[in-house]
Amino acid sequence: MSAQGRRFRIDHHGLGWSAVLAAIGFTGLWLGFPRPVTAPADSPMRAGAETRESALETPSAAAALPHGVSDDWWTRTRAGIEAREYEVTESALGAQAPNRAQDLRTYFHDGGIEVVPRTGNPSRWNWRWRTHAWGREGLLTALSPAPPTVDATRVEYRHDPLTEWYRNGPDGLEQGFSLAERPAGRGPLCIEGEITANLLPALDEGGGAIDFLSADGCRVLRYDGLKVVDARGADLPSSLDLADGTI
């Protein structure tokens, strides 16, 4: 097991912090495939991501819907069932959420999350995240472990005034942070998290994504899509940093 860290930095000094970090998602799963399946660059399923068919297929002409069942009803019913596939439920190991499209399973423990393969041997790889500090650079406040609060596909860890949240869906596991008030002091706002994984992290050249690789160099997880907005919805500059041992 090796511990690696990542740090989020917001280079912004304005007023009105709210919904500070959002749209951080895991994508790019190559698990169990001899070569990656490439999606268009503008697709929500970015290059390298596996696209899987739903368990519910649209009936063909040869298998028509039963008499009295409309296409509209079938479409709405199918959408509802597919959405529930991503809901968080209780298990013997605690709150968990499967992700068919990305072949992930996430466990929401007190204080942090654990991501493993949904199918096959769950010990092939694992990825754990714990948010442990936040604040202005050089003046970080340590966070105590918080229990998860579940609402369908969304899970929150509440560290007032900071809320850490996750949303499970076909595009991956989305991670976000919402800040209810502006932190004291001046300088970049940082959120630090600790990662423990048996995967090798690699920061891309542009600093906008981190790949997590198997021992033979295959990409297993991709951490990207960082977007930061203020209380007015304006985009703010942001970056990902990767350092040994801490985020």
Side-chain angles (χ1 to χ4, degrees):
M1 300 290 291
S2 62
Q4 299 291 338
R6 296 186 306 221
R7 181 172 58 198
F8 307 100
R9 175 177 297 171
I10 303 173
D11 298 312
H12 180 73
H13 305 283
L15 298 174
W17 291 95
S18 177
V20 172
L21 291 177
I24 302 174
F26 295 90
T27 62
L29 303 178
W30 294 10
L31 304 178
F33 288 85
R35 66 179 186 275
V37 178
T38 302
D42 60 351
S43 169
M45 306 291 287
R46 286 172 283 276
E50 174 207 356
T51 56
R52 295 174 183 263
E53 293 298 328
S54 167
L56 296 172
E57 300 298 333
T58 302
S60 64
L65 291 170
H67 178 71
V69 175
S70 67
D71 290 339
D72 179 66
W73 179 90
W74 170 251
T75 299
R76 288 185 285 107
T77 300
R78 173 178 171 174
I81 294 173
E82 289 178 344
R84 287 194 293 274
E85 288 183 345
Y86 295 93
E87 290 185 356
V88 181
T89 59
E90 288 296 325
S91 73
L93 299 178
Q96 64 86 38
N99 192 305
R100 178 187 299 275
Q102 300 287 344
D103 198 26
L104 297 176
R105 188 178 303 278
T106 303
Y107 291 96
F108 298 91
H109 305 300
D110 284 358
I113 68 169
E114 178 183 9
V115 183
V116 298
R118 185 184 69 90
T119 58
N121 184 356
S123 65
R124 296 199 312 272
W125 58 266
N126 61 73
W127 191 95
R128 296 182 179 91
W129 167 282
R130 180 179 72 88
T131 304
H132 67 87
W134 79 283
R136 300 293 187 184
E137 187 174 32
L139 297 171
L140 299 184
T141 300
L143 293 175
S144 299
T149 300
V150 176
D151 182 9
T153 62
R154 182 183 172 98
V155 177
E156 293 184 353
Y157 292 89
R158 297 167 183 168
H159 315 278
D160 292 338
L162 180 73
T163 298
E164 170 188 357
W165 56 265
Y166 297 88
R167 183 180 293 112
N168 188 42
D171 290 346
L173 180 66
E174 182 182 11
Q175 179 193 50
F177 298 87
S178 298
L179 186 56
E181 60 188 45
R182 182 184 181 185
R186 297 182 61 85
L189 175 64
C190 299
I191 296 177
E192 290 192 355
E194 182 179 77
I195 296 171
T196 305
N198 55 2
L199 300 170
L200 304 175
L203 182 66
D204 75 357
E205 294 182 359
I210 301 172
D211 289 325
F212 289 86
L213 312 176
S214 63
D216 57 1
C218 292
R219 184 172 64 177
V220 176
L221 294 175
R222 183 169 177 84
Y223 190 89
D224 69 352
L226 177 63
K227 179 178 176 63
V228 182
V229 297
D230 65 13
R232 298 163 296 179
D235 291 341
L236 304 178
S238 60
S239 64
L240 295 174
D241 291 334
L242 177 64
D244 291 343
T246 60
I247 298 170

